[in-house]
Amino acid sequence: MDRDTIAASFPAVRHAEAPVEWTVSDGLVPYPDAVAAMEARAAAIAAGMAPEQVWLLEHPPLYTAGTSARDADLISPDRFPVFRTGRGGEFTYHGPGQRVVYLMLDLNKRGPDLRRYVTSLEAWIMATLASFNVTGERREDRIGVWVRRPEKAPLPDGQPAEDKVAAIGIRVRRWVTLHGISLNVDPDLEHYSGIVPCGVAGYGVTSLADLGIPVSMPEVDAALKEEFSRLFDAVAPAPPRA
């Protein structure tokens, strides 16, 4: 599915009045610091004191547990720091080489529809992947974005193998969004072995590098920004360096 087809097939989250502020952080941002900054910004947006923000960053290696996380899915509890977080979903991994994108968007102005918002996040990831000639797909029973791996052995039920390339986990407070998405560019995929990613057993995890797409983080950021503008109908200024 190409980018234009993706844009036409998924409901977009309409734009707010003011441009979205884009921020890119250098280095590895500690998870507690990111959550504190994100929550402060979301509160300011809800109060009408700050514009919406898309924040691109990387974390040091860590696991996070969403509101549906099961303790049994944390296979190696002492391997990396584990953070209990208010986002939806189960366990996931964050670490270097993964582009984490936190979105603080005002759904009061864009439309208070969580299903549409999540679907638009999936479409955004799929369109970004399409810009690198990677076909990402959504699944009704599994959140996130998946790629088919016909070169791998089929699943136990005989279905073709597929791997997860991007995760989605959100929270909404006063109809302002928090948390967001993570796209695997070139992380250490072995680090996922310490959890059952997103509570879905039997499936693998991949990255652009693992798929044979050697792209830089700035190239991924540029694609994310372009496709955000197409799907969310928001024109953003050039991202400042944090």
Side-chain angles (χ1 to χ4, degrees), residues 71-107:
D71 289 344
D73 289 340
L74 181 59
I75 299 170
S76 302
D78 299 323
R79 185 172 189 183
F80 297 127
V82 179
F83 296 93
R84 304 282 171 173
T85 181
R87 63 160 175 80
E90 304 189 43
F91 280 102
T92 194
Y93 165 76
H94 294 313
Q98 180 192 74
R99 176 49 87 209
V100 174
V101 186
Y102 291 136
L103 299 103
M104 289 134 279
L105 303 180
D106 190 351
L107 298 187

PDB file of all heavy atoms in Angstrom, residues 71-107:
ATOM      1  N   ASP A  71       2.441  -9.469  34.989  1.00  0.00           N
ATOM      2  CA  ASP A  71       3.765  -9.724  35.550  1.00  0.00           C
ATOM      3  C   ASP A  71       4.451 -10.907  34.886  1.00  0.00           C
ATOM      4  O   ASP A  71       5.679 -10.923  34.754  1.00  0.00           O
ATOM      5  CB  ASP A  71       3.651  -9.973  37.056  1.00  0.00           C
ATOM      6  CG  ASP A  71       3.297  -8.705  37.833  1.00  0.00           C
ATOM      7  OD1 ASP A  71       3.445  -7.611  37.265  1.00  0.00           O
ATOM      8  OD2 ASP A  71       2.867  -8.825  39.001  1.00  0.00           O
ATOM      9  N   ALA A  72       3.687 -11.887  34.452  1.00  0.00           N
ATOM     10  CA  ALA A  72       4.273 -13.075  33.824  1.00  0.00           C
ATOM     11  C   ALA A  72       4.970 -12.741  32.511  1.00  0.00           C
ATOM     12  O   ALA A  72       5.815 -13.514  32.037  1.00  0.00           O
ATOM     13  CB  ALA A  72       3.189 -14.122  33.583  1.00  0.00           C
ATOM     14  N   ASP A  73       4.645 -11.593  31.915  1.00  0.00           N
ATOM     15  CA  ASP A  73       5.255 -11.215  30.641  1.00  0.00           C
ATOM     16  C   ASP A  73       6.595 -10.516  30.814  1.00  0.00           C
ATOM     17  O   ASP A  73       7.248 -10.186  29.826  1.00  0.00           O
ATOM     18  CB  ASP A  73       4.303 -10.313  29.839  1.00  0.00           C
ATOM     19  CG  ASP A  73       3.099 -11.084  29.308  1.00  0.00           C
ATOM     20  OD1 ASP A  73       3.182 -12.320  29.222  1.00  0.00           O
ATOM     21  OD2 ASP A  73       2.083 -10.435  28.978  1.00  0.00           O
ATOM     22  N   LEU A  74       6.989 -10.267  32.056  1.00  0.00           N
ATOM     23  CA  LEU A  74       8.313  -9.709  32.337  1.00  0.00           C
ATOM     24  C   LEU A  74       9.249 -10.887  32.636  1.00  0.00           C
ATOM     25  O   LEU A  74       9.343 -11.369  33.755  1.00  0.00           O
ATOM     26  CB  LEU A  74       8.252  -8.741  33.518  1.00  0.00           C
ATOM     27  CG  LEU A  74       9.564  -8.063  33.913  1.00  0.00           C
ATOM     28  CD1 LEU A  74      10.158  -7.263  32.763  1.00  0.00           C
ATOM     29  CD2 LEU A  74       9.336  -7.171  35.132  1.00  0.00           C
ATOM     30  N   ILE A  75       9.943 -11.342  31.615  1.00  0.00           N
ATOM     31  CA  ILE A  75      10.749 -12.560  31.721  1.00  0.00           C
ATOM     32  C   ILE A  75      12.036 -12.320  32.488  1.00  0.00           C
ATOM     33  O   ILE A  75      12.480 -13.169  33.264  1.00  0.00           O
ATOM     34  CB  ILE A  75      11.044 -13.094  30.303  1.00  0.00           C
ATOM     35  CG1 ILE A  75       9.732 -13.429  29.586  1.00  0.00           C
ATOM     36  CG2 ILE A  75      11.959 -14.312  30.354  1.00  0.00           C
ATOM     37  CD1 ILE A  75       9.899 -13.725  28.113  1.00  0.00           C
ATOM     38  N   SER A  76      12.658 -11.156  32.292  1.00  0.00           N
ATOM     39  CA  SER A  76      13.937 -10.842  32.944  1.00  0.00           C
ATOM     40  C   SER A  76      13.796  -9.546  33.733  1.00  0.00           C
ATOM     41  O   SER A  76      14.216  -8.477  33.273  1.00  0.00           O
ATOM     42  CB  SER A  76      15.042 -10.707  31.889  1.00  0.00           C
ATOM     43  OG  SER A  76      15.168 -11.894  31.133  1.00  0.00           O
ATOM     44  N   PRO A  77      13.218  -9.606  34.921  1.00  0.00           N
ATOM     45  CA  PRO A  77      12.918  -8.375  35.669  1.00  0.00           C
ATOM     46  C   PRO A  77      14.141  -7.601  36.126  1.00  0.00           C
ATOM     47  O   PRO A  77      14.034  -6.411  36.446  1.00  0.00           O
ATOM     48  CB  PRO A  77      12.105  -8.877  36.870  1.00  0.00           C
ATOM     49  CG  PRO A  77      12.488 -10.308  37.019  1.00  0.00           C
ATOM     50  CD  PRO A  77      12.757 -10.813  35.637  1.00  0.00           C
ATOM     51  N   ASP A  78      15.314  -8.246  36.171  1.00  0.00           N
ATOM     52  CA  ASP A  78      16.513  -7.565  36.661  1.00  0.00           C
ATOM     53  C   ASP A  78      17.446  -7.113  35.533  1.00  0.00           C
ATOM     54  O   ASP A  78      18.537  -6.620  35.802  1.00  0.00           O
ATOM     55  CB  ASP A  78      17.289  -8.498  37.604  1.00  0.00           C
ATOM     56  CG  ASP A  78      16.472  -8.904  38.822  1.00  0.00           C
ATOM     57  OD1 ASP A  78      15.712  -8.049  39.316  1.00  0.00           O
ATOM     58  OD2 ASP A  78      16.571 -10.065  39.249  1.00  0.00           O
ATOM     59  N   ARG A  79      17.011  -7.280  34.314  1.00  0.00           N
ATOM     60  CA  ARG A  79      17.907  -6.980  33.193  1.00  0.00           C
ATOM     61  C   ARG A  79      18.053  -5.481  32.959  1.00  0.00           C
ATOM     62  O   ARG A  79      19.154  -4.957  32.846  1.00  0.00           O
ATOM     63  CB  ARG A  79      17.386  -7.660  31.924  1.00  0.00           C
ATOM     64  CG  ARG A  79      18.317  -7.492  30.740  1.00  0.00           C
ATOM     65  CD  ARG A  79      17.875  -8.333  29.585  1.00  0.00           C
ATOM     66  NE  ARG A  79      18.878  -8.339  28.525  1.00  0.00           N
ATOM     67  CZ  ARG A  79      18.721  -8.955  27.363  1.00  0.00           C
ATOM     68  NH1 ARG A  79      17.620  -9.642  27.118  1.00  0.00           N
ATOM     69  NH2 ARG A  79      19.667  -8.907  26.447  1.00  0.00           N
ATOM     70  N   PHE A  80      16.930  -4.788  32.847  1.00  0.00           N
ATOM     71  CA  PHE A  80      16.908  -3.340  32.648  1.00  0.00           C
ATOM     72  C   PHE A  80      15.929  -2.726  33.639  1.00  0.00           C
ATOM     73  O   PHE A  80      15.066  -3.428  34.186  1.00  0.00           O
ATOM     74  CB  PHE A  80      16.463  -2.988  31.217  1.00  0.00           C
ATOM     75  CG  PHE A  80      17.368  -3.487  30.131  1.00  0.00           C
ATOM     76  CD1 PHE A  80      16.860  -4.247  29.084  1.00  0.00           C
ATOM     77  CD2 PHE A  80      18.731  -3.197  30.136  1.00  0.00           C
ATOM     78  CE1 PHE A  80      17.683  -4.708  28.071  1.00  0.00           C
ATOM     79  CE2 PHE A  80      19.563  -3.658  29.125  1.00  0.00           C
ATOM     80  CZ  PHE A  80      19.039  -4.420  28.096  1.00  0.00           C
ATOM     81  N   PRO A  81      16.028  -1.413  33.866  1.00  0.00           N
ATOM     82  CA  PRO A  81      15.025  -0.767  34.715  1.00  0.00           C
ATOM     83  C   PRO A  81      13.618  -0.981  34.157  1.00  0.00           C
ATOM     84  O   PRO A  81      13.418  -1.007  32.930  1.00  0.00           O
ATOM     85  CB  PRO A  81      15.422   0.716  34.670  1.00  0.00           C
ATOM     86  CG  PRO A  81      16.877   0.701  34.325  1.00  0.00           C
ATOM     87  CD  PRO A  81      17.078  -0.476  33.418  1.00  0.00           C
ATOM     88  N   VAL A  82      12.661  -1.146  35.039  1.00  0.00           N
ATOM     89  CA  VAL A  82      11.265  -1.352  34.653  1.00  0.00           C
ATOM     90  C   VAL A  82      10.441  -0.195  35.215  1.00  0.00           C
ATOM     91  O   VAL A  82      10.500   0.100  36.406  1.00  0.00           O
ATOM     92  CB  VAL A  82      10.729  -2.695  35.191  1.00  0.00           C
ATOM     93  CG1 VAL A  82       9.259  -2.873  34.791  1.00  0.00           C
ATOM     94  CG2 VAL A  82      11.576  -3.858  34.684  1.00  0.00           C
ATOM     95  N   PHE A  83       9.673   0.446  34.350  1.00  0.00           N
ATOM     96  CA  PHE A  83       8.862   1.592  34.760  1.00  0.00           C
ATOM     97  C   PHE A  83       7.388   1.274  34.528  1.00  0.00           C
ATOM     98  O   PHE A  83       6.990   0.909  33.425  1.00  0.00           O
ATOM     99  CB  PHE A  83       9.247   2.847  33.969  1.00  0.00           C
ATOM    100  CG  PHE A  83      10.652   3.312  34.227  1.00  0.00           C
ATOM    101  CD1 PHE A  83      11.696   2.902  33.414  1.00  0.00           C
ATOM    102  CD2 PHE A  83      10.934   4.149  35.292  1.00  0.00           C
ATOM    103  CE1 PHE A  83      12.999   3.317  33.644  1.00  0.00           C
ATOM    104  CE2 PHE A  83      12.232   4.576  35.544  1.00  0.00           C
ATOM    105  CZ  PHE A  83      13.266   4.159  34.710  1.00  0.00           C
ATOM    106  N   ARG A  84       6.601   1.409  35.587  1.00  0.00           N
ATOM    107  CA  ARG A  84       5.151   1.298  35.473  1.00  0.00           C
ATOM    108  C   ARG A  84       4.627   2.651  35.001  1.00  0.00           C
ATOM    109  O   ARG A  84       4.946   3.693  35.578  1.00  0.00           O
ATOM    110  CB  ARG A  84       4.531   0.925  36.818  1.00  0.00           C
ATOM    111  CG  ARG A  84       5.098  -0.363  37.405  1.00  0.00           C
ATOM    112  CD  ARG A  84       4.517  -1.591  36.749  1.00  0.00           C
ATOM    113  NE  ARG A  84       5.215  -2.807  37.167  1.00  0.00           N
ATOM    114  CZ  ARG A  84       4.806  -4.032  36.838  1.00  0.00           C
ATOM    115  NH1 ARG A  84       3.715  -4.188  36.102  1.00  0.00           N
ATOM    116  NH2 ARG A  84       5.490  -5.097  37.230  1.00  0.00           N
ATOM    117  N   THR A  85       3.842   2.630  33.968  1.00  0.00           N
ATOM    118  CA  THR A  85       3.426   3.881  33.350  1.00  0.00           C
ATOM    119  C   THR A  85       1.931   3.891  33.109  1.00  0.00           C
ATOM    120  O   THR A  85       1.299   2.829  33.074  1.00  0.00           O
ATOM    121  CB  THR A  85       4.188   4.095  32.030  1.00  0.00           C
ATOM    122  OG1 THR A  85       3.785   5.327  31.439  1.00  0.00           O
ATOM    123  CG2 THR A  85       3.924   2.959  31.052  1.00  0.00           C
ATOM    124  N   GLY A  86       1.371   5.066  32.948  1.00  0.00           N
ATOM    125  CA  GLY A  86      -0.067   5.199  32.782  1.00  0.00           C
ATOM    126  C   GLY A  86      -0.571   5.004  31.374  1.00  0.00           C
ATOM    127  O   GLY A  86      -1.774   5.116  31.131  1.00  0.00           O
ATOM    128  N   ARG A  87       0.308   4.704  30.433  1.00  0.00           N
ATOM    129  CA  ARG A  87      -0.167   4.503  29.057  1.00  0.00           C
ATOM    130  C   ARG A  87      -0.929   3.187  28.957  1.00  0.00           C
ATOM    131  O   ARG A  87      -0.772   2.270  29.761  1.00  0.00           O
ATOM    132  CB  ARG A  87       1.008   4.490  28.079  1.00  0.00           C
ATOM    133  CG  ARG A  87       1.965   3.341  28.312  1.00  0.00           C
ATOM    134  CD  ARG A  87       2.835   3.024  27.118  1.00  0.00           C
ATOM    135  NE  ARG A  87       3.808   1.990  27.443  1.00  0.00           N
ATOM    136  CZ  ARG A  87       3.543   0.693  27.474  1.00  0.00           C
ATOM    137  NH1 ARG A  87       2.320   0.269  27.214  1.00  0.00           N
ATOM    138  NH2 ARG A  87       4.475  -0.185  27.785  1.00  0.00           N
ATOM    139  N   GLY A  88      -1.715   3.059  27.910  1.00  0.00           N
ATOM    140  CA  GLY A  88      -2.378   1.800  27.635  1.00  0.00           C
ATOM    141  C   GLY A  88      -1.389   0.769  27.119  1.00  0.00           C
ATOM    142  O   GLY A  88      -0.276   1.086  26.713  1.00  0.00           O
ATOM    143  N   GLY A  89      -1.799  -0.496  27.151  1.00  0.00           N
ATOM    144  CA  GLY A  89      -0.971  -1.554  26.599  1.00  0.00           C
ATOM    145  C   GLY A  89      -0.249  -2.352  27.673  1.00  0.00           C
ATOM    146  O   GLY A  89      -0.544  -2.254  28.872  1.00  0.00           O
ATOM    147  N   GLU A  90       0.731  -3.143  27.234  1.00  0.00           N
ATOM    148  CA  GLU A  90       1.414  -4.075  28.118  1.00  0.00           C
ATOM    149  C   GLU A  90       2.901  -3.729  28.183  1.00  0.00           C
ATOM    150  O   GLU A  90       3.255  -2.561  28.166  1.00  0.00           O
ATOM    151  CB  GLU A  90       1.115  -5.492  27.647  1.00  0.00           C
ATOM    152  CG  GLU A  90      -0.407  -5.723  27.585  1.00  0.00           C
ATOM    153  CD  GLU A  90      -0.823  -7.137  27.344  1.00  0.00           C
ATOM    154  OE1 GLU A  90      -0.235  -8.041  27.950  1.00  0.00           O
ATOM    155  OE2 GLU A  90      -1.750  -7.341  26.538  1.00  0.00           O
ATOM    156  N   PHE A  91       3.771  -4.735  28.246  1.00  0.00           N
ATOM    157  CA  PHE A  91       5.206  -4.451  28.332  1.00  0.00           C
ATOM    158  C   PHE A  91       5.775  -4.114  26.959  1.00  0.00           C
ATOM    159  O   PHE A  91       5.414  -4.718  25.942  1.00  0.00           O
ATOM    160  CB  PHE A  91       5.962  -5.663  28.886  1.00  0.00           C
ATOM    161  CG  PHE A  91       5.903  -5.795  30.365  1.00  0.00           C
ATOM    162  CD1 PHE A  91       5.051  -6.708  30.960  1.00  0.00           C
ATOM    163  CD2 PHE A  91       6.689  -4.991  31.190  1.00  0.00           C
ATOM    164  CE1 PHE A  91       4.987  -6.836  32.335  1.00  0.00           C
ATOM    165  CE2 PHE A  91       6.632  -5.104  32.569  1.00  0.00           C
ATOM    166  CZ  PHE A  91       5.775  -6.032  33.140  1.00  0.00           C
ATOM    167  N   THR A  92       6.689  -3.162  26.952  1.00  0.00           N
ATOM    168  CA  THR A  92       7.451  -2.899  25.739  1.00  0.00           C
ATOM    169  C   THR A  92       8.870  -2.508  26.129  1.00  0.00           C
ATOM    170  O   THR A  92       9.179  -2.274  27.301  1.00  0.00           O
ATOM    171  CB  THR A  92       6.803  -1.812  24.869  1.00  0.00           C
ATOM    172  OG1 THR A  92       7.396  -1.835  23.561  1.00  0.00           O
ATOM    173  CG2 THR A  92       6.991  -0.425  25.467  1.00  0.00           C
ATOM    174  N   TYR A  93       9.719  -2.451  25.115  1.00  0.00           N
ATOM    175  CA  TYR A  93      11.128  -2.096  25.315  1.00  0.00           C
ATOM    176  C   TYR A  93      11.395  -0.762  24.643  1.00  0.00           C
ATOM    177  O   TYR A  93      10.860  -0.469  23.562  1.00  0.00           O
ATOM    178  CB  TYR A  93      12.026  -3.169  24.694  1.00  0.00           C
ATOM    179  CG  TYR A  93      13.473  -2.741  24.534  1.00  0.00           C
ATOM    180  CD1 TYR A  93      14.336  -2.693  25.633  1.00  0.00           C
ATOM    181  CD2 TYR A  93      13.978  -2.365  23.290  1.00  0.00           C
ATOM    182  CE1 TYR A  93      15.645  -2.291  25.506  1.00  0.00           C
ATOM    183  CE2 TYR A  93      15.292  -1.962  23.149  1.00  0.00           C
ATOM    184  CZ  TYR A  93      16.126  -1.919  24.248  1.00  0.00           C
ATOM    185  OH  TYR A  93      17.430  -1.498  24.111  1.00  0.00           O
ATOM    186  N   HIS A  94      12.227   0.056  25.277  1.00  0.00           N
ATOM    187  CA  HIS A  94      12.772   1.257  24.647  1.00  0.00           C
ATOM    188  C   HIS A  94      14.290   1.224  24.795  1.00  0.00           C
ATOM    189  O   HIS A  94      14.813   0.756  25.820  1.00  0.00           O
ATOM    190  CB  HIS A  94      12.240   2.534  25.301  1.00  0.00           C
ATOM    191  CG  HIS A  94      10.778   2.755  25.106  1.00  0.00           C
ATOM    192  ND1 HIS A  94      10.162   2.618  23.880  1.00  0.00           N
ATOM    193  CD2 HIS A  94       9.800   3.106  25.989  1.00  0.00           C
ATOM    194  CE1 HIS A  94       8.879   2.884  24.007  1.00  0.00           C
ATOM    195  NE2 HIS A  94       8.632   3.174  25.283  1.00  0.00           N
ATOM    196  N   GLY A  95      14.984   1.734  23.784  1.00  0.00           N
ATOM    197  CA  GLY A  95      16.431   1.771  23.870  1.00  0.00           C
ATOM    198  C   GLY A  95      17.047   2.484  22.683  1.00  0.00           C
ATOM    199  O   GLY A  95      16.352   2.922  21.757  1.00  0.00           O
ATOM    200  N   PRO A  96      18.359   2.637  22.702  1.00  0.00           N
ATOM    201  CA  PRO A  96      19.057   3.315  21.603  1.00  0.00           C
ATOM    202  C   PRO A  96      18.755   2.651  20.264  1.00  0.00           C
ATOM    203  O   PRO A  96      18.625   1.423  20.167  1.00  0.00           O
ATOM    204  CB  PRO A  96      20.537   3.148  21.982  1.00  0.00           C
ATOM    205  CG  PRO A  96      20.528   2.930  23.467  1.00  0.00           C
ATOM    206  CD  PRO A  96      19.279   2.178  23.764  1.00  0.00           C
ATOM    207  N   GLY A  97      18.627   3.471  19.245  1.00  0.00           N
ATOM    208  CA  GLY A  97      18.310   2.961  17.916  1.00  0.00           C
ATOM    209  C   GLY A  97      16.830   2.854  17.645  1.00  0.00           C
ATOM    210  O   GLY A  97      16.425   2.471  16.541  1.00  0.00           O
ATOM    211  N   GLN A  98      16.027   3.188  18.629  1.00  0.00           N
ATOM    212  CA  GLN A  98      14.574   3.193  18.455  1.00  0.00           C
ATOM    213  C   GLN A  98      14.088   4.636  18.526  1.00  0.00           C
ATOM    214  O   GLN A  98      14.439   5.364  19.456  1.00  0.00           O
ATOM    215  CB  GLN A  98      13.915   2.365  19.559  1.00  0.00           C
ATOM    216  CG  GLN A  98      12.400   2.296  19.490  1.00  0.00           C
ATOM    217  CD  GLN A  98      11.827   1.713  20.768  1.00  0.00           C
ATOM    218  OE1 GLN A  98      11.802   2.373  21.812  1.00  0.00           O
ATOM    219  NE2 GLN A  98      11.384   0.473  20.710  1.00  0.00           N
ATOM    220  N   ARG A  99      13.308   5.041  17.542  1.00  0.00           N
ATOM    221  CA  ARG A  99      12.760   6.401  17.583  1.00  0.00           C
ATOM    222  C   ARG A  99      11.455   6.384  18.363  1.00  0.00           C
ATOM    223  O   ARG A  99      10.467   5.776  17.953  1.00  0.00           O
ATOM    224  CB  ARG A  99      12.520   6.944  16.173  1.00  0.00           C
ATOM    225  CG  ARG A  99      11.859   8.319  16.146  1.00  0.00           C
ATOM    226  CD  ARG A  99      12.560   9.320  17.076  1.00  0.00           C
ATOM    227  NE  ARG A  99      13.658  10.022  16.473  1.00  0.00           N
ATOM    228  CZ  ARG A  99      14.700  10.484  17.147  1.00  0.00           C
ATOM    229  NH1 ARG A  99      14.777  10.301  18.465  1.00  0.00           N
ATOM    230  NH2 ARG A  99      15.664  11.126  16.539  1.00  0.00           N
ATOM    231  N   VAL A 100      11.505   7.018  19.530  1.00  0.00           N
ATOM    232  CA  VAL A 100      10.314   7.201  20.354  1.00  0.00           C
ATOM    233  C   VAL A 100       9.727   8.567  20.014  1.00  0.00           C
ATOM    234  O   VAL A 100      10.452   9.559  19.902  1.00  0.00           O
ATOM    235  CB  VAL A 100      10.667   7.113  21.847  1.00  0.00           C
ATOM    236  CG1 VAL A 100       9.450   7.440  22.712  1.00  0.00           C
ATOM    237  CG2 VAL A 100      11.198   5.721  22.186  1.00  0.00           C
ATOM    238  N   VAL A 101       8.419   8.589  19.833  1.00  0.00           N
ATOM    239  CA  VAL A 101       7.733   9.840  19.494  1.00  0.00           C
ATOM    240  C   VAL A 101       6.603  10.039  20.492  1.00  0.00           C
ATOM    241  O   VAL A 101       5.647   9.258  20.534  1.00  0.00           O
ATOM    242  CB  VAL A 101       7.161   9.816  18.066  1.00  0.00           C
ATOM    243  CG1 VAL A 101       6.584  11.186  17.718  1.00  0.00           C
ATOM    244  CG2 VAL A 101       8.217   9.399  17.054  1.00  0.00           C
ATOM    245  N   TYR A 102       6.730  11.081  21.299  1.00  0.00           N
ATOM    246  CA  TYR A 102       5.668  11.440  22.230  1.00  0.00           C
ATOM    247  C   TYR A 102       4.854  12.576  21.614  1.00  0.00           C
ATOM    248  O   TYR A 102       5.405  13.587  21.167  1.00  0.00           O
ATOM    249  CB  TYR A 102       6.252  11.867  23.575  1.00  0.00           C
ATOM    250  CG  TYR A 102       6.889  10.728  24.335  1.00  0.00           C
ATOM    251  CD1 TYR A 102       8.113  10.889  24.970  1.00  0.00           C
ATOM    252  CD2 TYR A 102       6.268   9.486  24.420  1.00  0.00           C
ATOM    253  CE1 TYR A 102       8.700   9.840  25.679  1.00  0.00           C
ATOM    254  CE2 TYR A 102       6.843   8.437  25.111  1.00  0.00           C
ATOM    255  CZ  TYR A 102       8.056   8.616  25.739  1.00  0.00           C
ATOM    256  OH  TYR A 102       8.631   7.574  26.432  1.00  0.00           O
ATOM    257  N   LEU A 103       3.541  12.375  21.616  1.00  0.00           N
ATOM    258  CA  LEU A 103       2.643  13.353  21.009  1.00  0.00           C
ATOM    259  C   LEU A 103       1.741  13.958  22.062  1.00  0.00           C
ATOM    260  O   LEU A 103       1.051  13.231  22.789  1.00  0.00           O
ATOM    261  CB  LEU A 103       1.775  12.702  19.924  1.00  0.00           C
ATOM    262  CG  LEU A 103       2.534  12.088  18.749  1.00  0.00           C
ATOM    263  CD1 LEU A 103       2.580  10.573  18.895  1.00  0.00           C
ATOM    264  CD2 LEU A 103       1.898  12.485  17.437  1.00  0.00           C
ATOM    265  N   MET A 104       1.754  15.260  22.142  1.00  0.00           N
ATOM    266  CA  MET A 104       0.866  15.998  23.017  1.00  0.00           C
ATOM    267  C   MET A 104      -0.049  16.828  22.130  1.00  0.00           C
ATOM    268  O   MET A 104       0.285  17.954  21.732  1.00  0.00           O
ATOM    269  CB  MET A 104       1.664  16.852  24.004  1.00  0.00           C
ATOM    270  CG  MET A 104       2.371  16.013  25.070  1.00  0.00           C
ATOM    271  SD  MET A 104       4.098  16.474  25.360  1.00  0.00           S
ATOM    272  CE  MET A 104       4.926  15.622  24.012  1.00  0.00           C
ATOM    273  N   LEU A 105      -1.165  16.223  21.756  1.00  0.00           N
ATOM    274  CA  LEU A 105      -2.112  16.832  20.826  1.00  0.00           C
ATOM    275  C   LEU A 105      -3.439  17.077  21.533  1.00  0.00           C
ATOM    276  O   LEU A 105      -3.861  16.286  22.385  1.00  0.00           O
ATOM    277  CB  LEU A 105      -2.341  15.920  19.615  1.00  0.00           C
ATOM    278  CG  LEU A 105      -1.102  15.532  18.807  1.00  0.00           C
ATOM    279  CD1 LEU A 105      -1.499  14.625  17.647  1.00  0.00           C
ATOM    280  CD2 LEU A 105      -0.372  16.769  18.292  1.00  0.00           C
ATOM    281  N   ASP A 106      -4.092  18.146  21.173  1.00  0.00           N
ATOM    282  CA  ASP A 106      -5.339  18.544  21.818  1.00  0.00           C
ATOM    283  C   ASP A 106      -6.523  17.980  21.039  1.00  0.00           C
ATOM    284  O   ASP A 106      -6.938  18.544  20.020  1.00  0.00           O
ATOM    285  CB  ASP A 106      -5.408  20.067  21.889  1.00  0.00           C
ATOM    286  CG  ASP A 106      -6.564  20.553  22.752  1.00  0.00           C
ATOM    287  OD1 ASP A 106      -7.405  19.716  23.145  1.00  0.00           O
ATOM    288  OD2 ASP A 106      -6.630  21.769  23.025  1.00  0.00           O
ATOM    289  N   LEU A 107      -7.077  16.882  21.526  1.00  0.00           N
ATOM    290  CA  LEU A 107      -8.220  16.276  20.844  1.00  0.00           C
ATOM    291  C   LEU A 107      -9.510  17.037  21.110  1.00  0.00           C
ATOM    292  O   LEU A 107     -10.523  16.770  20.448  1.00  0.00           O
ATOM    293  CB  LEU A 107      -8.368  14.813  21.262  1.00  0.00           C
ATOM    294  CG  LEU A 107      -7.205  13.893  20.908  1.00  0.00           C
ATOM    295  CD1 LEU A 107      -7.558  12.439  21.226  1.00  0.00           C
ATOM    296  CD2 LEU A 107      -6.784  14.028  19.456  1.00  0.00           C
TER     297      LEU A 107
END
